[in-house]
Amino acid sequence: MWSSLPEPLLLEIFKNLTTNEMANVCLVCHQWSRVGCDDLLWKHLFYKRFDTIDRSVDRPIGSFESETLEGHDNQVLHVSFAHNGRLFSSCSKDGFVKLWSTECVPTRVRHSADMKQYSWNYTQYSQFNEADTLLLVSGVHFGVHTASGEIAVFNLESDDFQLQCRVLNKPYDIFGTWYTNDYLISSRLHFLGHLVSCSALWLNKAWQESESERKPIIKRMFKFYNKNASSIRTVLVADCLPDEPPEDPLLTATASTSDHKPSASRSRNQSSYSSAHRGNPFSSLGTNRLLKSLQTPPNYSQRIDFYGADSNISCTNESPIRYSSEYRCEQRSSATDSVGQRTGDTLRRAVSNDTDSGDSDFDDPPLPWNEDWLKLSDDELNEDVVSDAFPISKITSKKHSYNKSSNSPKVGSHSQNSCTEEESSSRSSRLLCNRDKLLLFTSGSQTYTPHQIGIKRIKPIMFEEFVSETASLSKRLEERRQEQESQAMAASPNWHEEEAVAHMFDTVDHTIDLKGHIIGMGLSPDHRYLYVNSRSWPENATIDNPLHPPPIANQIDIHVIDLKTFKRVGNMFRSHKAYTPNDECFFIFLDVCDQFVASGAEDNHGYIWDRHYGLCLARLPHRDIVNSVAFNPKDPEMMVTASDDKTLKIWRSKSQMIRKRQP
Amino acid sequence: MADNADHIDGDDNEDVRAQQNLIKIKLKSSEGGIYECGLTAAKMSDLVKNMVESLGTDAVVTTEPIILGNEAVTDAALKKIIEWVEFHWDDPPVDHDFEDEKDRRNEELSHWDKQFIDVDDQALLFDVIAAANYMDIKGLVEVGAKHICSKIRGKSCQEVREMLKITNDFTAEEEDAIHKENAWIYAKD
């Protein structure tokens, strides 16, 4: 009977015990021991025992409930802050997106839009662009089993929260993300066959100038092959850090953490990288040291214990996140001398003389609104000098694409100089962004639930300025397409043979298999680290049927991925819980600021942890599941949580609360 | 009518609270027993409070009883809980924001609470605490927690296991590991 006491109750009991009594109850049974390891519990005991400790080590965090915002009529699914900290937006099952202003107390709804009028079922996700001039809102269409969604962009500079554009988005849980201030990434899903599909990622301009009918506003970025009913979801774009991806040993380590079956895409990846980077020694001392420090724990990735239960006991002595202060300093120093490195890169890149292939990788669609995926894909077939896709010619066609892709990592590091060059040479194009970025997303290879992180480098993208001679071009394209269509019809490839059709798709640069159901991702403010909420599968879980993913743990693990090395640098086994079964679609979002990590949980609490030590610093109670959390980027002492209890709560530090109470 | 109810709900004024407690609502246990309780007292349970707020006060007063489906909410436990909230409903509200956690820990239970919670029937005690947790009555959860603490205090872990009928699921190595980890606690200064 007493062993079935709910854990929050146990915690409540333990709150009253002294240090010695705590040490005692931790020996009663596993459950008590686990609950008894609660950080907040021990914090008080620690202060009591070592009463000379300066309490100011306790940094101010937003752990005091400041306001409860009622404005949504249904579960609040997501909250997101503007970069300037003055606004935040919330998405909800009630179909509204609401924009809240933090500048007045009490916090008020500044704008609100009912997306139901556009046959949205609900709004799921929102994101401000970097300049905070536009808000991307992503939602789900009506329909019981629909995977179809839409992205809407609102203008924040206008007074009336003007809807500026809408973009179809499928699957909806890709959410969409900003690529630059004016361009966003959306997705289309094309089914190729049973359990096989293609995720095409599109770049969309957030508005179209009225005078520019012939100015293209969309462009396809990538096509990814999805097997076993999986698809690409939850895209994020991170700024690329100046350093190169690491040499082989680490790369191999990365590969070994993902699935062990050698797949075509990965071997292709590795070969391309080794060829691209051989003979390019890391110039900076920092990087070498960084590599060493990473390698110190041998096979750390293997060492990671996927089952939280044991490690709750064993990992308490060591910091659960593996990054030292040295490691962090390294990053800062390398960021400052990035300029030098970049020029170095430019030289090397200039030698390789492949500036043009950047363009060829991003085909403009013949006509902006053409949605026929098969026809589009044929453009690339053409460039590869492969006119058919018969298995016989498989080898040659693959060779071609290998060559091409081995170029791509080099192109991937277009530096400023080479780009301006390119720009001047073709005045009809415009460069969207002169820096490399990383496209981060979740995907699957074994089952449909997202269990991998995919990383793809985005090269600077050239956009055609004008489509000239529309009539004749379309005519020509029409002819060409008819020709190709007949060819394609004659030889429709077997989409189930991944290797045979691989040349038609873009490859993923890195995949990191987390062996669990990924339910949320967040970037650190410096874009160096990706934090991932995932619920792990049982150890040695096997997947026989891609439609039946393994059961998932009730405990959410936070994994940390270094976007410089594409390696897991640690994970936290923490007590935040989730109970939704694995066949349902759900998200628990997290947010990261310089010092803290925060996440929602299904145990009716939001959580804040120390980013360095992984200690739990605060629990933020709600009446129902907490879906999303967001730090104020300008003021980490303030944060907002969004919950199924239909409210948002604003949390502030104690000093802010006292200031607020004073008239 | 809705306006009126909203007004009452939103007002923490003592008179209004007293007045509201004269309104009786019905609570139904998981075993089917129906018990009356003052509105202000019942709203000490955050669960009931939420229901009342979403249904509207009028609906709750005039219609069906509020069903408390959790199996811990037995007839006996519910009676006990109503006894507690009817005694405590006019306690001054706690300002959780600024209350020092440390002070609350050290605070002794009142004489009334001690007598209330000191029941011999272990099953009833468990149900009352679990039900209070389910109904989200923070004050009562605290009383229950402190009571159990007082029973745990001074006992060895084996005695605790025996008292609460918990099986030891540790291996010897695991026990050693925990001992080692907690060595600093036992160390003499």
Side-chain angles (χ1 to χ4, degrees), chain A residues 339-624:
Chain A
V339 186
Q341 286 192 0
R342 287 175 81 98
T343 18
D345 286 351
T346 320
L347 286 172
R348 261 180 267 131
R349 298 289 125 71
V351 173
S352 62
N353 195 18
D354 52 13
T355 36
D356 274 343
S357 58
D359 251 2
S360 62
D361 256 16
F362 298 111
D363 311 291
D364 269 342
L367 290 168
W369 296 110
N370 188 318
E371 285 199 36
D372 192 330
W373 175 80
L374 200 67
K375 287 169 194 165
L376 290 181
S377 74
D378 286 339
D379 292 349
E380 261 160 51
L381 282 177
N382 245 8
E383 282 157 20
D384 283 352
V385 211
V386 179
S387 49
D388 56 13
F390 281 121
I392 311 153
S393 64
K394 184 166 88 182
I395 299 148
T396 39
S397 72
K398 245 164 68 189
K399 213 178 250 167
H400 275 289
S401 58
Y402 273 26
N403 288 342
K404 199 177 129 197
S405 80
S406 71
N407 282 341
S408 52
K410 295 188 214 160
V411 188
S413 307
H414 265 302
S415 66
Q416 232 154 333
N417 289 354
S418 66
C419 283
T420 34
E421 218 172 86
E422 191 170 357
E423 203 169 24
S424 58
S425 69
S426 53
R427 260 175 239 104
S428 61
S429 303
R430 63 185 182 282
L431 188 65
L432 295 190
C433 171
N434 56 24
R435 294 186 60 181
D436 278 17
K437 298 206 179 195
L438 291 177
L439 181 73
L440 312 166
F441 50 85
T442 65
S443 63
S445 64
Q446 301 174 56
T447 175
Y448 69 92
T449 58
H451 59 92
Q452 290 179 331
I453 302 288
I455 300 168
K456 175 85 183 167
R457 214 179 168 106
I458 313 176
K459 296 158 265 177
I461 292 174
M462 299 295 287
F463 230 79
E464 289 290 321
E465 196 64 42
F466 284 102
V467 178
S468 53
E469 301 299 324
T470 319
S472 68
L473 180 72
S474 66
K475 216 172 175 181
R476 260 187 301 148
L477 288 167
E478 192 55 45
E479 283 169 12
R480 203 176 106 191
R481 229 183 304 131
Q482 276 172 359
E483 195 182 308
Q484 284 170 351
E485 199 175 0
S486 55
Q487 274 178 12
M489 286 316 214
S492 179
N494 181 359
W495 297 111
H496 288 93
E497 284 182 45
E498 196 185 349
E499 303 234 346
V501 296
H503 61 278
M504 299 184 198
F505 298 92
D506 290 288
T507 51
V508 180
D509 294 344
H510 298 270
T511 47
I512 299 165
D513 199 317
L514 298 181
K515 297 200 162 49
H517 189 147
I518 297 165
I519 56 175
M521 302 202 295
L523 278 168
S524 66
D526 58 4
H527 288 201
R528 167 85 192 250
Y529 299 99
L530 178 70
Y531 285 71
V532 186
N533 259 344
S534 116
R535 288 171 62 187
S536 64
W537 293 335
E539 217 166 354
N540 306 321
T542 53
I543 299 161
D544 303 323
N545 182 346
L547 297 179
H548 291 110
I552 47 179
N554 280 341
Q555 182 169 274
I556 306 175
D557 296 341
I558 295 182
H559 296 268
V560 189
I561 291 164
D562 185 343
L563 294 178
K564 210 166 184 177
T565 59
F566 307 113
K567 210 178 128 53
R568 271 189 289 175
V569 290
N571 52 349
M572 306 199 284
F573 297 104
R574 288 296 121 185
S575 56
H576 63 317
K577 295 284 170 71
Y579 306 103
T580 310
N582 60 355
D583 50 352
E584 284 173 41
C585 188
F586 63 97
F587 304 96
I588 301 285
F589 295 96
L590 45 67
D591 196 21
V592 188
C593 66
D594 279 336
Q595 298 194 43
F596 310 116
V597 181
S599 172
E602 290 189 32
D603 60 3
N604 304 356
H605 283 88
Y607 286 83
I608 306 177
W609 296 275
D610 184 290
R611 226 180 106 184
H612 301 255
Y613 300 103
L615 292 174
C616 181
L617 299 174
R619 260 190 294 266
L620 315 171
H622 265 274
R623 290 175 190 166
D624 208 334

Side-chain angles (χ1 to χ4, degrees), chain A residues 21 24 27-28 64 623, chain B residues 50 97 149 153 155 161 169:
Chain A
E21 287 158 359
N24 193 31
L27 283 164
V28 167
F64 292 92
R623 290 175 190 166
Chain B
N50 288 346
D97 284 353
C149 277
R153 209 157 268 151
K155 290 198 171 61
R161 278 185 216 125
D169 52 3

Side-chain angles (χ1 to χ4, degrees), chain A residues 1-2 5 13 15-16 20-21 23-24 27-30 49 64-65 313 316 623 657 661, chain B residues 50 95 97-98 101 105 122 126 146 148-149 153 155 157 161 164 169-170 174 181 184-186:
Chain A
M1 172 177 72
W2 290 98
L5 213 57
I13 294 169
K15 263 187 194 168
N16 303 293
N20 282 306
E21 287 158 359
N24 193 31
L27 283 164
V28 167
C29 65
H30 271 126
R49 185 176 172 99
F64 292 92
E65 188 177 325
I313 300 163
T316 40
R623 290 175 190 166
M657 291 290 280
R661 289 211 176 180
Chain B
N50 288 346
D95 189 347
D97 284 353
F98 289 97
E101 183 93 18
R105 285 168 184 227
Q122 288 270 311
F126 178 85
K146 281 189 174 159
I148 293 176
C149 277
R153 209 157 268 151
K155 290 198 171 61
C157 54
R161 278 185 216 125
L164 300 178
D169 52 3
F170 283 120
E174 285 172 331
E181 198 174 288
W184 63 274
I185 295 169
Y186 305 112

Side-chain angles (χ1 to χ4, degrees), chain A residues 319 321-325 327-328 529 531 560 569 597 611-612:
Chain A
S319 143
I321 313 186
R322 287 278 174 154
Y323 33 72
S324 57
S325 54
Y327 190 49
R328 304 178 61 74
Y529 299 99
Y531 285 71
V560 189
V569 290
V597 181
R611 226 180 106 184
H612 301 255

Side-chain angles (χ1 to χ4, degrees), chain B residues 12 15 41 43 46 57-58 62 71 76 80-81 93 100 108 115 122-123 129 132-133 146-147 153 171 174 187:
Chain B
D12 281 336
D15 292 340
K43 277 164 75 177
D46 274 351
T57 312
D58 298 320
T62 52
E71 58 180 25
K80 208 61 186 144
I81 285 172
D100 199 333
E108 277 271 316
Q115 285 206 317
Q122 288 270 311
I129 297 173
N133 181 54
K146 281 189 174 159
H147 176 67
R153 209 157 268 151
T171 63
E174 285 172 331

Side-chain angles (χ1 to χ4, degrees), chain A residues 1-6 8-9 12-33 37 40-42 44-46 48-50 55 64-66 70 310 312-317 623 646 654 657-658 661, chain B residues 46 49-50 53 95-102 104-106 122-123 125-126 129-130 133 141-142 144-146 148-149 152-157 160-161 163-171 174-175 177-179 181-182 184-187 189:
Chain A
M1 172 177 72
W2 290 98
S3 52
S4 63
L5 213 57
L9 252 180
E12 193 64 38
I13 294 169
F14 291 169
K15 263 187 194 168
N16 303 293
L17 297 175
T18 64
T19 319
N20 282 306
E21 287 158 359
M22 275 309 300
N24 193 31
V25 298
C26 280
L27 283 164
V28 167
C29 65
H30 271 126
Q31 190 200 16
W32 285 39
S33 176
C37 283
L40 291 180
L41 209 58
W42 283 95
H44 292 278
L45 295 172
F46 212 72
K48 209 163 158 188
R49 185 176 172 99
F50 303 105
R55 299 259 170 145
F64 292 92
E65 188 177 325
S66 166
E70 290 164 353
D310 300 331
N312 260 329
I313 300 163
S314 60
C315 75
T316 40
N317 278 337
R623 290 175 190 166
K646 304 177 190 174
K654 196 164 192 167
M657 291 290 280
I658 291 165
R661 289 211 176 180
Chain B
D46 274 351
K49 190 172 165 221
N50 288 346
E53 274 168 13
D95 189 347
H96 283 282
D97 284 353
F98 289 97
E99 188 197 17
D100 199 333
E101 183 93 18
K102 219 176 81 196
R104 209 173 65 195
R105 285 168 184 227
N106 299 336
Q122 288 270 311
L125 179 63
F126 178 85
I129 297 173
N133 181 54
V141 168
E142 213 177 294
K146 281 189 174 159
I148 293 176
C149 277
I152 290 174
R153 209 157 268 151
K155 290 198 171 61
S156 75
C157 54
V160 172
R161 278 185 216 125
M163 180 178 74
L164 300 178
K165 298 184 184 64
I166 295 170
T167 35
N168 181 7
D169 52 3
F170 283 120
T171 63
E174 285 172 331
E175 259 183 59
I178 298 172
H179 264 300
E181 198 174 288
N182 289 339
W184 63 274
I185 295 169
Y186 305 112
D189 294 314

